PDB file of all heavy atoms in Angstrom:
ATOM      1  N   THR A 161       2.064 -10.941  -7.770  1.00 96.00           N
ATOM      2  CA  THR A 161       2.505  -9.564  -7.956  1.00 96.00           C
ATOM      3  C   THR A 161       3.631  -9.259  -6.986  1.00 96.00           C
ATOM      4  O   THR A 161       3.560  -9.623  -5.810  1.00 96.00           O
ATOM      5  CB  THR A 161       1.354  -8.578  -7.712  1.00 96.00           C
ATOM      6  OG1 THR A 161       0.260  -8.897  -8.574  1.00 96.00           O
ATOM      7  CG2 THR A 161       1.794  -7.152  -7.984  1.00 96.00           C
ATOM      8  N   THR A 162       4.669  -8.587  -7.474  1.00 95.00           N
ATOM      9  CA  THR A 162       5.780  -8.169  -6.626  1.00 95.00           C
ATOM     10  C   THR A 162       5.851  -6.656  -6.589  1.00 95.00           C
ATOM     11  O   THR A 162       5.883  -5.999  -7.631  1.00 95.00           O
ATOM     12  CB  THR A 162       7.110  -8.739  -7.130  1.00 95.00           C
ATOM     13  OG1 THR A 162       7.052 -10.171  -7.122  1.00 95.00           O
ATOM     14  CG2 THR A 162       8.263  -8.285  -6.239  1.00 95.00           C
ATOM     15  N   ILE A 163       5.845  -6.098  -5.383  1.00 95.00           N
ATOM     16  CA  ILE A 163       5.997  -4.664  -5.172  1.00 95.00           C
ATOM     17  C   ILE A 163       7.431  -4.419  -4.736  1.00 95.00           C
ATOM     18  O   ILE A 163       7.891  -4.973  -3.740  1.00 95.00           O
ATOM     19  CB  ILE A 163       5.003  -4.166  -4.103  1.00 95.00           C
ATOM     20  CG1 ILE A 163       3.569  -4.456  -4.540  1.00 95.00           C
ATOM     21  CG2 ILE A 163       5.196  -2.680  -3.834  1.00 95.00           C
ATOM     22  CD1 ILE A 163       2.543  -4.219  -3.447  1.00 95.00           C
ATOM     23  N   SER A 164       8.148  -3.624  -5.485  1.00 94.00           N
ATOM     24  CA  SER A 164       9.559  -3.377  -5.195  1.00 94.00           C
ATOM     25  C   SER A 164       9.708  -2.411  -4.025  1.00 94.00           C
ATOM     26  O   SER A 164       8.769  -1.698  -3.641  1.00 94.00           O
ATOM     27  CB  SER A 164      10.250  -2.787  -6.426  1.00 94.00           C
ATOM     28  OG  SER A 164       9.765  -1.478  -6.696  1.00 94.00           O
ATOM     29  N   GLY A 165      10.907  -2.380  -3.466  1.00 93.00           N
ATOM     30  CA  GLY A 165      11.189  -1.444  -2.396  1.00 93.00           C
ATOM     31  C   GLY A 165      11.046  -0.005  -2.839  1.00 93.00           C
ATOM     32  O   GLY A 165      10.585   0.853  -2.079  1.00 93.00           O
ATOM     33  N   ALA A 166      11.422   0.285  -4.095  1.00 92.00           N
ATOM     34  CA  ALA A 166      11.295   1.644  -4.610  1.00 92.00           C
ATOM     35  C   ALA A 166       9.834   2.064  -4.689  1.00 92.00           C
ATOM     36  O   ALA A 166       9.467   3.189  -4.323  1.00 92.00           O
ATOM     37  CB  ALA A 166      11.951   1.737  -5.987  1.00 92.00           C
ATOM     38  N   ASP A 167       8.971   1.164  -5.164  1.00 94.00           N
ATOM     39  CA  ASP A 167       7.547   1.489  -5.249  1.00 94.00           C
ATOM     40  C   ASP A 167       6.931   1.628  -3.851  1.00 94.00           C
ATOM     41  O   ASP A 167       6.055   2.468  -3.629  1.00 94.00           O
ATOM     42  CB  ASP A 167       6.804   0.415  -6.037  1.00 94.00           C
ATOM     43  CG  ASP A 167       7.103   0.478  -7.522  1.00 94.00           C
ATOM     44  OD1 ASP A 167       7.509   1.553  -8.002  1.00 94.00           O
ATOM     45  OD2 ASP A 167       6.949  -0.555  -8.211  1.00 94.00           O
ATOM     46  N   ALA A 168       7.374   0.787  -2.915  1.00 94.00           N
ATOM     47  CA  ALA A 168       6.861   0.897  -1.552  1.00 94.00           C
ATOM     48  C   ALA A 168       7.271   2.222  -0.924  1.00 94.00           C
ATOM     49  O   ALA A 168       6.474   2.880  -0.244  1.00 94.00           O
ATOM     50  CB  ALA A 168       7.355  -0.274  -0.711  1.00 94.00           C
ATOM     51  N   ALA A 169       8.513   2.641  -1.170  1.00 92.00           N
ATOM     52  CA  ALA A 169       8.984   3.905  -0.610  1.00 92.00           C
ATOM     53  C   ALA A 169       8.218   5.089  -1.189  1.00 92.00           C
ATOM     54  O   ALA A 169       7.945   6.070  -0.486  1.00 92.00           O
ATOM     55  CB  ALA A 169      10.478   4.063  -0.869  1.00 92.00           C
ATOM     56  N   LYS A 170       7.845   5.011  -2.470  1.00 92.00           N
ATOM     57  CA  LYS A 170       7.060   6.095  -3.073  1.00 92.00           C
ATOM     58  C   LYS A 170       5.731   6.274  -2.356  1.00 92.00           C
ATOM     59  O   LYS A 170       5.253   7.396  -2.180  1.00 92.00           O
ATOM     60  CB  LYS A 170       6.807   5.791  -4.549  1.00 92.00           C
ATOM     61  CG  LYS A 170       8.025   5.882  -5.450  1.00 92.00           C
ATOM     62  CD  LYS A 170       7.650   5.511  -6.881  1.00 92.00           C
ATOM     63  CE  LYS A 170       8.867   5.499  -7.788  1.00 92.00           C
ATOM     64  NZ  LYS A 170       8.511   5.070  -9.162  1.00 92.00           N
ATOM     65  N   ALA A 171       5.130   5.153  -1.939  1.00 94.00           N
ATOM     66  CA  ALA A 171       3.820   5.209  -1.287  1.00 94.00           C
ATOM     67  C   ALA A 171       3.869   5.942   0.038  1.00 94.00           C
ATOM     68  O   ALA A 171       2.832   6.410   0.533  1.00 94.00           O
ATOM     69  CB  ALA A 171       3.281   3.795  -1.087  1.00 94.00           C
ATOM     70  N   ASP A 172       5.060   6.067   0.623  1.00 93.00           N
ATOM     71  CA  ASP A 172       5.199   6.774   1.882  1.00 93.00           C
ATOM     72  C   ASP A 172       4.812   8.247   1.739  1.00 93.00           C
ATOM     73  O   ASP A 172       4.536   8.915   2.729  1.00 93.00           O
ATOM     74  CB  ASP A 172       6.641   6.651   2.378  1.00 93.00           C
ATOM     75  CG  ASP A 172       6.795   7.078   3.821  1.00 93.00           C
ATOM     76  OD1 ASP A 172       6.099   6.508   4.665  1.00 93.00           O
ATOM     77  OD2 ASP A 172       7.605   7.983   4.088  1.00 93.00           O
ATOM     78  N   LEU A 173       4.781   8.744   0.517  1.00 96.00           N
ATOM     79  CA  LEU A 173       4.355  10.123   0.281  1.00 96.00           C
ATOM     80  C   LEU A 173       2.910  10.332   0.703  1.00 96.00           C
ATOM     81  O   LEU A 173       2.555  11.393   1.223  1.00 96.00           O
ATOM     82  CB  LEU A 173       4.544  10.479  -1.198  1.00 96.00           C
ATOM     83  CG  LEU A 173       4.040  11.850  -1.653  1.00 96.00           C
ATOM     84  CD1 LEU A 173       4.845  12.967  -0.996  1.00 96.00           C
ATOM     85  CD2 LEU A 173       4.108  11.972  -3.174  1.00 96.00           C
ATOM     86  N   TRP A 174       2.046   9.333   0.494  1.00 96.00           N
ATOM     87  CA  TRP A 174       0.619   9.525   0.756  1.00 96.00           C
ATOM     88  C   TRP A 174       0.042   8.595   1.823  1.00 96.00           C
ATOM     89  O   TRP A 174      -1.108   8.750   2.210  1.00 96.00           O
ATOM     90  CB  TRP A 174      -0.199   9.371  -0.529  1.00 96.00           C
ATOM     91  CG  TRP A 174      -0.035   8.057  -1.243  1.00 96.00           C
ATOM     92  CD1 TRP A 174      -0.720   6.898  -1.025  1.00 96.00           C
ATOM     93  CD2 TRP A 174       0.879   7.767  -2.296  1.00 96.00           C
ATOM     94  NE1 TRP A 174      -0.298   5.913  -1.865  1.00 96.00           N
ATOM     95  CE2 TRP A 174       0.684   6.415  -2.678  1.00 96.00           C
ATOM     96  CE3 TRP A 174       1.842   8.515  -2.994  1.00 96.00           C
ATOM     97  CZ2 TRP A 174       1.428   5.804  -3.686  1.00 96.00           C
ATOM     98  CZ3 TRP A 174       2.584   7.903  -4.000  1.00 96.00           C
ATOM     99  CH2 TRP A 174       2.368   6.566  -4.332  1.00 96.00           C
ATOM    100  N   SER A 175       0.820   7.633   2.345  1.00 96.00           N
ATOM    101  CA  SER A 175       0.281   6.736   3.356  1.00 96.00           C
ATOM    102  C   SER A 175       1.391   6.146   4.208  1.00 96.00           C
ATOM    103  O   SER A 175       2.482   5.850   3.708  1.00 96.00           O
ATOM    104  CB  SER A 175      -0.519   5.608   2.698  1.00 96.00           C
ATOM    105  OG  SER A 175      -0.995   4.690   3.665  1.00 96.00           O
ATOM    106  N   SER A 176       1.098   5.944   5.498  1.00 97.00           N
ATOM    107  CA  SER A 176       2.012   5.236   6.402  1.00 97.00           C
ATOM    108  C   SER A 176       1.528   3.827   6.695  1.00 97.00           C
ATOM    109  O   SER A 176       2.079   3.150   7.564  1.00 97.00           O
ATOM    110  CB  SER A 176       2.158   6.016   7.720  1.00 97.00           C
ATOM    111  OG  SER A 176       2.776   7.264   7.513  1.00 97.00           O
ATOM    112  N   ASP A 177       0.515   3.382   5.962  1.00 97.00           N
ATOM    113  CA  ASP A 177      -0.101   2.070   6.156  1.00 97.00           C
ATOM    114  C   ASP A 177       0.420   1.114   5.085  1.00 97.00           C
ATOM    115  O   ASP A 177       0.091   1.253   3.906  1.00 97.00           O
ATOM    116  CB  ASP A 177      -1.617   2.214   6.066  1.00 97.00           C
ATOM    117  CG  ASP A 177      -2.351   0.905   6.323  1.00 97.00           C
ATOM    118  OD1 ASP A 177      -1.687  -0.073   6.729  1.00 97.00           O
ATOM    119  OD2 ASP A 177      -3.579   0.870   6.126  1.00 97.00           O
ATOM    120  N   SER A 178       1.216   0.133   5.480  1.00 97.00           N
ATOM    121  CA  SER A 178       1.793  -0.797   4.503  1.00 97.00           C
ATOM    122  C   SER A 178       0.737  -1.631   3.810  1.00 97.00           C
ATOM    123  O   SER A 178       0.921  -2.061   2.666  1.00 97.00           O
ATOM    124  CB  SER A 178       2.818  -1.716   5.184  1.00 97.00           C
ATOM    125  OG  SER A 178       3.942  -0.981   5.608  1.00 97.00           O
ATOM    126  N   ALA A 179      -0.398  -1.887   4.474  1.00 96.00           N
ATOM    127  CA  ALA A 179      -1.462  -2.652   3.823  1.00 96.00           C
ATOM    128  C   ALA A 179      -2.049  -1.892   2.641  1.00 96.00           C
ATOM    129  O   ALA A 179      -2.637  -2.501   1.741  1.00 96.00           O
ATOM    130  CB  ALA A 179      -2.555  -2.993   4.821  1.00 96.00           C
ATOM    131  N   SER A 180      -1.896  -0.564   2.622  1.00 95.00           N
ATOM    132  CA  SER A 180      -2.417   0.215   1.495  1.00 95.00           C
ATOM    133  C   SER A 180      -1.681  -0.108   0.200  1.00 95.00           C
ATOM    134  O   SER A 180      -2.195   0.163  -0.890  1.00 95.00           O
ATOM    135  CB  SER A 180      -2.315   1.712   1.788  1.00 95.00           C
ATOM    136  OG  SER A 180      -0.964   2.142   1.852  1.00 95.00           O
ATOM    137  N   LEU A 181      -0.473  -0.690   0.293  1.00 96.00           N
ATOM    138  CA  LEU A 181       0.249  -1.101  -0.913  1.00 96.00           C
ATOM    139  C   LEU A 181      -0.529  -2.153  -1.685  1.00 96.00           C
ATOM    140  O   LEU A 181      -0.431  -2.233  -2.915  1.00 96.00           O
ATOM    141  CB  LEU A 181       1.631  -1.639  -0.543  1.00 96.00           C
ATOM    142  CG  LEU A 181       2.605  -0.673   0.137  1.00 96.00           C
ATOM    143  CD1 LEU A 181       3.833  -1.425   0.631  1.00 96.00           C
ATOM    144  CD2 LEU A 181       3.006   0.444  -0.806  1.00 96.00           C
ATOM    145  N   ILE A 182      -1.305  -2.972  -0.974  1.00 96.00           N
ATOM    146  CA  ILE A 182      -2.069  -4.037  -1.614  1.00 96.00           C
ATOM    147  C   ILE A 182      -3.153  -3.464  -2.526  1.00 96.00           C
ATOM    148  O   ILE A 182      -3.593  -4.116  -3.475  1.00 96.00           O
ATOM    149  CB  ILE A 182      -2.696  -4.964  -0.548  1.00 96.00           C
ATOM    150  CG1 ILE A 182      -1.625  -5.465   0.426  1.00 96.00           C
ATOM    151  CG2 ILE A 182      -3.413  -6.142  -1.187  1.00 96.00           C
ATOM    152  CD1 ILE A 182      -0.589  -6.350  -0.182  1.00 96.00           C
ATOM    153  N   LYS A 183      -3.593  -2.234  -2.248  1.00 95.00           N
ATOM    154  CA  LYS A 183      -4.638  -1.627  -3.072  1.00 95.00           C
ATOM    155  C   LYS A 183      -4.211  -1.473  -4.527  1.00 95.00           C
ATOM    156  O   LYS A 183      -5.059  -1.417  -5.415  1.00 95.00           O
ATOM    157  CB  LYS A 183      -5.014  -0.255  -2.517  1.00 95.00           C
ATOM    158  CG  LYS A 183      -5.677  -0.261  -1.154  1.00 95.00           C
ATOM    159  CD  LYS A 183      -5.994   1.166  -0.719  1.00 95.00           C
ATOM    160  CE  LYS A 183      -6.631   1.226   0.645  1.00 95.00           C
ATOM    161  NZ  LYS A 183      -6.920   2.612   1.070  1.00 95.00           N
ATOM    162  N   ASP A 184      -2.901  -1.373  -4.767  1.00 92.00           N
ATOM    163  CA  ASP A 184      -2.411  -1.088  -6.115  1.00 92.00           C
ATOM    164  C   ASP A 184      -2.182  -2.329  -6.961  1.00 92.00           C
ATOM    165  O   ASP A 184      -1.808  -2.220  -8.124  1.00 92.00           O
ATOM    166  CB  ASP A 184      -1.101  -0.277  -6.035  1.00 92.00           C
ATOM    167  CG  ASP A 184      -1.309   1.103  -5.441  1.00 92.00           C
ATOM    168  OD1 ASP A 184      -2.410   1.658  -5.636  1.00 92.00           O
ATOM    169  OD2 ASP A 184      -0.391   1.619  -4.779  1.00 92.00           O
ATOM    170  N   ILE A 185      -2.380  -3.519  -6.393  1.00 95.00           N
ATOM    171  CA  ILE A 185      -2.145  -4.730  -7.173  1.00 95.00           C
ATOM    172  C   ILE A 185      -3.468  -5.216  -7.757  1.00 95.00           C
ATOM    173  O   ILE A 185      -4.545  -4.864  -7.255  1.00 95.00           O
ATOM    174  CB  ILE A 185      -1.497  -5.838  -6.318  1.00 95.00           C
ATOM    175  CG1 ILE A 185      -2.526  -6.417  -5.334  1.00 95.00           C
ATOM    176  CG2 ILE A 185      -0.271  -5.310  -5.576  1.00 95.00           C
ATOM    177  CD1 ILE A 185      -2.064  -7.693  -4.673  1.00 95.00           C
ATOM    178  N   PRO A 186      -3.445  -6.021  -8.804  1.00 96.00           N
ATOM    179  CA  PRO A 186      -4.691  -6.556  -9.355  1.00 96.00           C
ATOM    180  C   PRO A 186      -5.475  -7.341  -8.306  1.00 96.00           C
ATOM    181  O   PRO A 186      -4.955  -8.253  -7.672  1.00 96.00           O
ATOM    182  CB  PRO A 186      -4.204  -7.462 -10.490  1.00 96.00           C
ATOM    183  CG  PRO A 186      -2.890  -6.887 -10.899  1.00 96.00           C
ATOM    184  CD  PRO A 186      -2.275  -6.381  -9.635  1.00 96.00           C
ATOM    185  N   GLY A 187      -6.752  -6.960  -8.108  1.00 97.00           N
ATOM    186  CA  GLY A 187      -7.605  -7.645  -7.154  1.00 97.00           C
ATOM    187  C   GLY A 187      -7.392  -7.266  -5.714  1.00 97.00           C
ATOM    188  O   GLY A 187      -8.018  -7.844  -4.825  1.00 97.00           O
ATOM    189  N   GLY A 188      -6.524  -6.289  -5.447  1.00 97.00           N
ATOM    190  CA  GLY A 188      -6.179  -5.950  -4.075  1.00 97.00           C
ATOM    191  C   GLY A 188      -7.053  -4.870  -3.476  1.00 97.00           C
ATOM    192  O   GLY A 188      -7.681  -4.078  -4.176  1.00 97.00           O
ATOM    193  N   GLY A 189      -7.106  -4.831  -2.150  1.00 97.00           N
ATOM    194  CA  GLY A 189      -7.841  -3.822  -1.417  1.00 97.00           C
ATOM    195  C   GLY A 189      -7.450  -3.881   0.044  1.00 97.00           C
ATOM    196  O   GLY A 189      -6.565  -4.640   0.444  1.00 97.00           O
ATOM    197  N   ALA A 190      -8.094  -3.061   0.873  1.00 97.00           N
ATOM    198  CA  ALA A 190      -7.791  -3.034   2.301  1.00 97.00           C
ATOM    199  C   ALA A 190      -9.049  -2.694   3.078  1.00 97.00           C
ATOM    200  O   ALA A 190      -9.752  -1.737   2.748  1.00 97.00           O
ATOM    201  CB  ALA A 190      -6.690  -2.019   2.604  1.00 97.00           C
ATOM    202  N   TRP A 191      -9.339  -3.493   4.102  1.00 97.00           N
ATOM    203  CA  TRP A 191     -10.445  -3.194   5.005  1.00 97.00           C
ATOM    204  C   TRP A 191     -10.053  -2.005   5.869  1.00 97.00           C
ATOM    205  O   TRP A 191      -8.967  -1.961   6.451  1.00 97.00           O
ATOM    206  CB  TRP A 191     -10.731  -4.375   5.926  1.00 97.00           C
ATOM    207  CG  TRP A 191     -11.308  -5.580   5.257  1.00 97.00           C
ATOM    208  CD1 TRP A 191     -11.419  -5.816   3.911  1.00 97.00           C
ATOM    209  CD2 TRP A 191     -11.861  -6.733   5.912  1.00 97.00           C
ATOM    210  NE1 TRP A 191     -11.993  -7.035   3.684  1.00 97.00           N
ATOM    211  CE2 TRP A 191     -12.282  -7.623   4.902  1.00 97.00           C
ATOM    212  CE3 TRP A 191     -12.036  -7.086   7.236  1.00 97.00           C
ATOM    213  CZ2 TRP A 191     -12.859  -8.848   5.189  1.00 97.00           C
ATOM    214  CZ3 TRP A 191     -12.617  -8.310   7.530  1.00 97.00           C
ATOM    215  CH2 TRP A 191     -13.027  -9.180   6.517  1.00 97.00           C
ATOM    216  N   GLY A 192     -10.947  -1.047   5.985  1.00 95.00           N
ATOM    217  CA  GLY A 192     -10.659   0.126   6.787  1.00 95.00           C
ATOM    218  C   GLY A 192     -10.492  -0.223   8.255  1.00 95.00           C
ATOM    219  O   GLY A 192     -11.192  -1.076   8.802  1.00 95.00           O
ATOM    220  N   ALA A 193      -9.542   0.448   8.907  1.00 96.00           N
ATOM    221  CA  ALA A 193      -9.288   0.266  10.333  1.00 96.00           C
ATOM    222  C   ALA A 193      -8.577   1.527  10.810  1.00 96.00           C
ATOM    223  O   ALA A 193      -8.954   2.631  10.419  1.00 96.00           O
ATOM    224  CB  ALA A 193      -8.470  -0.995  10.584  1.00 96.00           C
ATOM    225  N   GLY A 194      -7.545   1.378  11.641  1.00 96.00           N
ATOM    226  CA  GLY A 194      -6.761   2.525  12.048  1.00 96.00           C
ATOM    227  C   GLY A 194      -5.874   3.022  10.916  1.00 96.00           C
ATOM    228  O   GLY A 194      -5.746   2.382   9.873  1.00 96.00           O
ATOM    229  N   GLY A 195      -5.237   4.165  11.127  1.00 96.00           N
ATOM    230  CA  GLY A 195      -4.454   4.794  10.071  1.00 96.00           C
ATOM    231  C   GLY A 195      -3.274   3.984   9.593  1.00 96.00           C
ATOM    232  O   GLY A 195      -2.800   4.192   8.471  1.00 96.00           O
ATOM    233  N   VAL A 196      -2.761   3.041  10.409  1.00 97.00           N
ATOM    234  CA  VAL A 196      -1.635   2.206   9.988  1.00 97.00           C
ATOM    235  C   VAL A 196      -1.956   0.723  10.156  1.00 97.00           C
ATOM    236  O   VAL A 196      -1.052  -0.107  10.155  1.00 97.00           O
ATOM    237  CB  VAL A 196      -0.346   2.562  10.765  1.00 97.00           C
ATOM    238  CG1 VAL A 196       0.096   3.980  10.455  1.00 97.00           C
ATOM    239  CG2 VAL A 196      -0.527   2.378  12.269  1.00 97.00           C
ATOM    240  N   SER A 197      -3.230   0.374  10.283  1.00 97.00           N
ATOM    241  CA  SER A 197      -3.575  -1.008  10.638  1.00 97.00           C
ATOM    242  C   SER A 197      -4.720  -1.586   9.828  1.00 97.00           C
ATOM    243  O   SER A 197      -5.475  -2.423  10.319  1.00 97.00           O
ATOM    244  CB  SER A 197      -3.923  -1.095  12.131  1.00 97.00           C
ATOM    245  OG  SER A 197      -2.819  -0.790  12.940  1.00 97.00           O
TER     246      SER A 197
END
């Protein structure tokens, strides 16, 4: 899966955590931690 820069920039509206981008791909998720980690 490839996440484009435009799609990544859109996510900045609701999150400052880059790992949260993985949640939107097939099979993706993120272990909870700090707000950006």
